[in-house]
Amino acid sequence: MTNFPNVIASMISMSDIEKEELIKRTEIVTFNKHDIIRKQGDLVEEVYFVEKGIIRFTTLDKKGKSHTIHFASENQFSTDYTAFLNSSNSIYTVEALEDTKLSKMSKTNVDWLFGKVEEGEKFGRIILDHHYQYLENRVLDKQILTPKERYDKMSIVFPGIHQRVPQYMVASYIGVSKVHLSRLKNE
Amino acid sequence: MTNFPNVIASMISMSDIEKEELIKRTEIVTFNKHDIIRKQGDLVEEVYFVEKGIIRFTTLDKKGKSHTIHFASENQFSTDYTAFLNSSNSIYTVEALEDTKLSKMSKTNVDWLFGKVEEGEKFGRIILDHHYQYLENRVLDKQILTPKERYDKMSIVFPGIHQRVPQYMVASYIGVSKVHLSRLKNE
């Protein structure tokens, strides 16, 4: 059982033939907690939809320090879109933080979805619009919200995240030190 | 003379009839330095393309403090896309930082461009992809670059910005205090 075709069908009109074809073109992949799904520098040739679990996108700065940039949890689409678009190497390492089940679509199949499904292009626009708004909020929140407000807002975007994910990852995501985060939570 | 139709025509194929129609549907608006182009809370019913000048997007936090979130300069498209998409009120005040000339398209005309121009939908996707990458970099840079690196990178995205814009705006955009920015520049 996967949610992926249903989620797409809830956003656009699809014929039964298109739905069947979509299921055929989707691969289910599973990962154990701590598994690396993709490494920084790998070619990005697929998009993921999270059926179950939570994944994390990290990147290394010049000094080799790892930063948590994004998460994705149930019913969220996820890729390194910039690298996917340009068929270039990912700037992110993607890691399973729980036992995780993903629906995976290769670039060829995404091209089929956007190009051959009657309303596929519309679906692409909707997903891109969602992610755009997520990023815009991420930029904005960093400047106008307090760290405590950013912490609280995270669990709206990623339900249950504070019970599911080590706090040092949350601290990195909201841009404070681990010590600062502990202090916030005790206030 | 406007760049707007040429920039679009350089990204997609357009017939002569489409180009003429595009020019008819585009309004040229000019603003003096310090003019407010749109206020936070106003309905967003248009997109802008900067022909000449530089504009700034600010927002107020809960305490009434103003933050510089975005700039746009020559040959950049710009709107509060989230509000434009949802026909909702802008979270940004937009201000001309120099004498500025903009090409402006109303929502009706953007709908025409996306819906009626043969490759209009493709144009929408290209612009959205560009902005997506800009936002992704903005999130990423904030976490992995030093303030000095963010300062230097700004003038690649917005040519000449450090000579064109008061430094307190630059400091707000890169997320440091004005004092911190002065120190960085003296290092």
Side-chain angles (χ1 to χ4, degrees):
Chain A
M1 282 291 292
T2 64
N3 260 331
F4 178 64
N6 299 330
V7 166
I8 297 190
S10 74
M11 291 174 169
I12 56 170
S13 301
M14 289 182 87
S15 69
D16 290 343
I17 294 171
E18 286 175 336
K19 266 189 232 173
E20 277 169 38
E21 182 76 17
L22 174 69
I23 293 168
K24 269 190 243 163
R25 286 173 178 266
T26 307
E27 191 185 343
I28 301 291
V29 286
T30 56
F31 295 92
N32 294 323
K33 187 173 177 172
H34 302 312
D35 278 357
I36 299 297
I37 298 167
R38 190 174 55 223
K39 277 201 297 246
Q40 189 165 351
D42 286 354
L43 267 185
V44 179
E45 292 171 314
E46 68 286 313
V47 296
Y48 297 117
F49 172 87
V50 182
E51 298 283 349
K52 186 180 154 294
I54 187 162
I55 62 180
R56 175 171 81 124
F57 290 67
T58 57
T59 196
L60 299 177
D61 66 21
K62 278 186 311 185
K63 291 178 179 164
K65 188 182 166 200
S66 174
H67 298 263
T68 298
I69 312 294
H70 302 298
F71 293 100
S73 61
E74 283 82 5
N75 295 319
Q76 293 175 340
F77 288 88
S78 185
T79 186
D80 179 344
Y81 182 68
T82 301
F84 179 77
L85 212 61
N86 305 321
S87 297
S88 63
N89 300 331
S90 182
I91 44 170
Y92 297 117
T93 290
V94 186
E95 172 196 1
L97 301 180
E98 296 175 348
D99 293 348
T100 290
K101 186 165 96 171
L102 305 174
S103 282
K104 171 178 155 179
M105 273 198 112
S106 68
K107 192 148 189 148
T108 310
N109 289 327
V110 172
D111 286 345
W112 166 81
L113 177 58
F114 288 177
K116 301 292 182 190
V117 170
E118 180 78 22
E119 293 198 0
E121 186 77 26
K122 181 181 164 191
F123 169 73
R125 272 288 284 282
I126 295 172
I127 291 299
L128 205 49
D129 287 346
H130 279 245
H131 269 265
Y132 186 98
Q133 293 180 50
Y134 160 79
L135 287 174
E136 176 83 38
N137 281 326
R138 191 116 161 71
V139 170
L140 200 57
D141 293 351
K142 195 71 172 280
Q143 273 176 274
I144 67 170
L145 298 186
T146 65
K148 180 66 168 70
E149 288 167 333
R150 294 203 292 274
Y151 176 84
D152 292 339
K153 195 172 172 183
M154 273 189 81
S155 60
I156 300 169
V157 182
F158 309 109
I161 192 160
H162 298 313
Q163 290 72 49
R164 298 171 75 179
V165 160
Q167 290 300 291
Y168 76 90
M169 297 178 187
V170 168
S172 176
Y173 181 86
I174 62 174
V176 298
S177 72
K178 204 178 148 191
V179 174
H180 187 166
L181 180 59
S182 297
R183 211 160 45 214
L184 287 177
K185 289 166 65 187
N186 293 331
E187 268 166 14
Chain B
M1 282 291 292
T2 64
N3 260 331
F4 178 64
N6 299 330
V7 166
I8 297 191
S10 74
M11 292 174 169
I12 56 171
S13 302
M14 289 181 86
S15 69
D16 289 343
I17 295 171
E18 286 175 335
K19 265 188 232 172
E20 277 170 38
E21 182 75 17
L22 174 69
I23 293 168
K24 272 191 241 162
R25 287 171 177 268
T26 306
E27 192 185 342
I28 302 291
V29 286
T30 57
F31 296 91
N32 294 322
K33 187 173 177 172
H34 302 311
D35 278 357
I36 299 298
I37 297 168
R38 189 173 57 223
K39 276 201 298 246
Q40 188 166 351
D42 287 353
L43 267 184
V44 179
E45 292 172 312
E46 68 285 313
V47 296
Y48 297 117
F49 172 86
V50 183
E51 299 284 349
K52 186 180 153 296
I54 185 161
I55 62 180
R56 174 172 81 124
F57 289 68
T58 57
T59 197
L60 299 177
D61 65 21
K62 279 185 312 185
K63 292 177 180 166
K65 188 183 166 199
S66 174
H67 298 263
T68 298
I69 312 295
H70 301 298
F71 294 100
S73 61
E74 283 81 5
N75 294 321
Q76 293 175 340
F77 288 88
S78 184
T79 186
D80 178 344
Y81 181 69
T82 301
F84 180 76
L85 212 60
N86 304 321
S87 296
S88 62
N89 299 334
S90 182
I91 43 171
Y92 297 118
T93 290
V94 187
E95 174 196 0
L97 301 180
E98 296 175 346
D99 292 348
T100 290
K101 186 165 96 172
L102 305 174
S103 281
K104 171 176 155 180
M105 272 198 112
S106 68
K107 191 147 190 150
T108 310
N109 289 326
V110 172
D111 286 344
W112 167 81
L113 176 59
F114 288 177
K116 301 292 182 193
V117 170
E118 181 77 22
E119 293 198 2
E121 186 77 27
K122 181 181 165 191
F123 169 72
R125 271 289 284 284
I126 295 173
I127 291 299
L128 206 49
D129 287 347
H130 278 245
H131 269 264
Y132 186 99
Q133 293 179 50
Y134 160 77
L135 286 174
E136 177 82 39
N137 281 325
R138 190 117 162 69
V139 170
L140 200 58
D141 293 350
K142 196 71 172 279
Q143 272 175 275
I144 67 171
L145 298 186
T146 65
K148 180 67 167 68
E149 287 167 335
R150 295 203 291 275
Y151 176 84
D152 292 339
K153 195 172 171 183
M154 272 189 82
S155 60
I156 300 168
V157 182
F158 309 109
I161 193 160
H162 298 312
Q163 289 73 49
R164 298 171 75 179
V165 160
Q167 289 301 291
Y168 77 89
M169 296 179 188
V170 168
S172 177
Y173 181 86
I174 63 174
V176 298
S177 71
K178 203 179 148 190
V179 174
H180 188 165
L181 181 59
S182 298
R183 213 159 45 215
L184 286 176
K185 289 167 64 186
N186 292 332
E187 268 167 16

